[in-house]
Each structure stands twice: as structure tokens, then as C-alpha cells.
Amino acid sequence: MTTTRMVRSRIVAILCAFPAVAYVGFRPQRSLGQVWETLLVTVNIVQFFRNYSADRLARLTEEEQAFVANQLRLTSNGMARRLLDTGAWVDVPAGTVLTEEGLRPEFLWYISSGHVTVQRLGTRIAQCGPGNFIGEMALLEDGSVASATSITEQPLRAWTLSYDKLQPLERAQPEAYAALYSAFARDMRLKLIASNALDAGI
């Protein structure tokens, strides 16, 4: 119950179940309990090696490694690979509108390289660059419309994820989903600091 990683949870479950199997083994009248404990050990061992194999086989590019280390902070390459494959890396030309004020965004964007101008009522209010997310507010506010228009200033390299895939992601990869939301919170904090500094003329 206290472990925060699935791999550790499985190891603990296996270590706890082995003594139970041995204990029930000395009590033949409780053979059904032995079956269940043995099944618990078997399932966890199989899942442990599946996860271990997925982590060993997972490959991340330098761009993806930077994204995972700086923003997602996932400790499992396999988990990171599954999350990244839910979205896609794209090259976006200059002048592309990523979000439009007053409309619900269709995609979440993570900027790997390039810059984006953020406008409200036609006035430039901020600039986002490498390491920033675009469109995350619509997620945090449960599908609200974009509060500003975001336009690429130059060719952009980004990871993008359709909002339609977020609900399935929450069910299929809860730990990766939580890491993504934590990354939003950190990014919003940095954006607020930058915005306050801009307002103060620093």
C-alpha cells in the first residue's frame, strides 16, 4: 500500500505471497487458499517480467529523453514509451495557429524547439518556448475554451496529443497520466513567474 511504483508493488506482493503459500502448504485442509496464493505469485511474476522486458526494449531518442527527464519525470522507459506513442512528434510551420481564443483546443502541445506567440484580443501577452505546454488549460479546466490564441513564430518541433485520447489514457496508464498533469502544474507555475516578471518590467 505504501509503494508508489508498480514494479515495487509487485515485488512486495510476491515476497508476501511466498510465505503464505508455504504456510498454507502445511495445512492441507486449506488447499483452496494455497491455490489462490500460488496464483497471486504466478500472475505477479509474469507481469513483473513483462514490465521488465518492456523497459529493457524501450528506446527513447535524445529529444524524448529530455522531455521525460525534464517534464514527465517517469522512471520507467517502458511507461514513457507507451505515453509518447499515444501522441506524435510533428514539425509545425511558422504561422500555424495552435489554439484559438474562445474555442476548445483539439490538441495538447509540448514544445521541443521553436517559439510561440500568445495573444489575447489581438495583443501579444506572452511567448512560449522549449519545455512549455500549449493548450493544457483546457485540460485542467475540464474541457474549457482557450483563453488566448497561440501562433508559431518559427518552424516548431513539438509532441502533440489529441484530447480525445486523454480519457482512455487515464484508464490505461494512470501513472503516466498523473505525471502529465504534474508537468502541467510545474509549467503553469513557471509561466506565472514569467508573466509576473513581464508585468513588473523585470
Side-chain angles (χ1 to χ4, degrees):
M1 291 175 63
T2 59
T3 57
T4 58
R5 294 177 58 190
M6 183 56 69
V7 171
R8 292 176 182 170
S9 298
R10 294 198 183 282
I11 292 174
V12 170
I14 292 169
L15 294 177
C16 290
F18 268 127
V21 171
Y23 171 74
V24 177
F26 287 105
R27 302 170 66 89
Q29 68 273 25
R30 298 184 182 179
S31 57
L32 183 59
Q34 187 176 24
V35 171
W36 284 113
E37 296 293 349
T38 302
L39 182 61
L40 174 64
V41 171
T42 302
V43 169
N44 275 283
I45 288 177
V46 170
Q47 291 293 347
F48 173 80
F49 280 105
R50 283 184 62 186
N51 293 338
Y52 178 77
S53 298
D55 287 344
R56 289 294 301 271
L57 294 174
R59 295 291 182 268
L60 304 177
T61 64
E62 290 186 8
E63 182 177 51
E64 291 170 336
Q65 289 174 9
F67 180 22
V68 172
N70 297 332
Q71 291 289 357
L72 301 178
R73 301 182 183 180
L74 293 169
T75 55
S76 163
N77 280 352
M79 186 183 302
R81 182 73 272 159
R82 289 191 297 273
L83 173 60
L84 292 168
D85 288 344
T86 304
W89 289 97
V90 294
D91 294 304
V92 185
T96 301
V97 177
L98 303 182
T99 64
E100 190 169 351
E101 185 176 357
L103 299 180
R104 184 181 183 276
E106 295 182 8
F107 297 93
L108 166 73
W109 303 86
Y110 168 77
I111 304 173
S112 178
S113 64
H115 290 87
V116 173
T117 294
V118 182
Q119 301 177 352
R120 184 174 296 160
L121 298 177
T123 301
R124 184 178 185 271
I125 60 172
Q127 181 189 63
C128 292
N132 289 141
F133 288 96
I134 298 292
E136 78 282 3
M137 284 299 297
L139 295 178
L140 295 174
E141 297 181 2
D142 194 21
S144 67
V145 298
S147 59
T149 296
S150 305
I151 306 173
T152 58
E153 296 180 357
Q154 53 194 243
L156 196 79
R157 176 69 174 170
W159 180 76
T160 182
L161 175 66
S162 167
Y163 283 176
D164 295 336
K165 295 183 178 180
L166 279 169
Q167 290 303 322
L169 178 67
E170 182 178 12
R171 294 189 295 271
Q173 302 180 51
E175 190 172 341
Y177 185 83
L180 194 58
Y181 264 69
S182 295
F184 294 161
R186 288 191 296 272
D187 187 50
M188 286 184 62
R189 176 177 174 273
L190 293 176
K191 286 178 180 176
L192 285 173
I193 293 173
S195 177
N196 291 337
L198 183 64
D199 291 341
I202 300 176

